[in-house]
């Protein structure tokens, strides 16, 4: 059986994610999600905090990708965010990597 190489989309999270920015970011990301079996890496290096709304946006991205048999992985959570109490719960839901290249290469059959 021949394996099909799939593209990985890397998107940088905006520094500030409030309701307006979150909706715009999600809308832009949906064009990649609706392509069938999306593989998405979200670069979180620009985030200065990780509040409930950002977690909500991340979960919405994952939910939409999973509806299309895809996946979302996170990269470069800021060091002060990593100590947040709910990061352990995010580790159960998302694969979290230090570098974009590690996240991209973790997808099977990615190019």
């Amino acid at each position: 059986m021949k394996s099909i190489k799939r593209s990985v989309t890397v998107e940088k999270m905006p520094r500030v994610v409030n309701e307006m920015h979150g909706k715009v970011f999600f809308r832009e990301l949906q064009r990649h999600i609706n392509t069938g079996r999306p593989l998405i890496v979200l670069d979180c290096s620009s985030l200065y905090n990780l509040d409930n709304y950002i977690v909500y946006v991340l979960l919405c991205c994952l939910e939409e990708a999973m509806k299309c048999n895809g996946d979302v992985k996170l990269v470069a959570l800021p060091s002060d965010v990593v100590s947040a109490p709910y990061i352990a719960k995010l580790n159960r839901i998302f694969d979290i990597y230090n570098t974009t290249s590690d996240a991209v290469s973790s997808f099977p059959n990615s190019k």
Side-chain angles (χ1 to χ4, degrees):
M1 179 178 206
K2 185 178 178 181
S3 61
I4 298 171
K5 294 283 187 184
R6 297 186 294 158
S7 296
V8 176
T9 301
V10 178
E11 289 288 328
K12 190 164 184 92
M13 292 289 294
R15 179 165 171 71
V16 176
V17 181
N18 55 27
E19 190 171 345
M20 182 184 74
H21 292 106
K23 287 179 181 179
V24 169
F25 176 79
F26 184 70
R27 206 173 312 119
E28 290 174 3
L29 191 64
Q30 276 188 314
R31 64 189 158 115
H32 298 289
I33 290 174
N34 294 328
T35 60
R37 298 201 70 192
L39 304 176
I40 299 170
V41 173
L42 296 178
D43 181 347
C44 301
S45 61
S46 63
L47 292 176
Y48 68 92
N49 71 351
L50 190 65
D51 62 16
N52 290 336
Y53 189 74
I54 294 171
V55 171
Y56 172 75
V57 170
L58 294 174
L59 290 172
C60 287
C61 294
L62 179 61
E63 178 184 26
E64 289 302 309
M66 290 177 74
K67 287 178 184 177
C68 299
N69 274 340
D71 197 9
V72 175
K73 299 187 181 199
L74 305 181
V75 171
L77 288 173
S79 58
D80 57 332
V81 168
V82 174
S83 64
Y86 44 82
I87 197 67
K89 293 177 183 173
L90 280 181
N91 280 332
R92 294 179 188 168
I93 300 168
F94 291 98
D95 291 333
I96 301 173
Y97 296 88
N98 291 327
T99 67
T100 302
S101 60
D102 288 344
V104 169
S105 63
S106 72
F107 283 113
N109 299 324
S110 63
K111 60 177 178 177

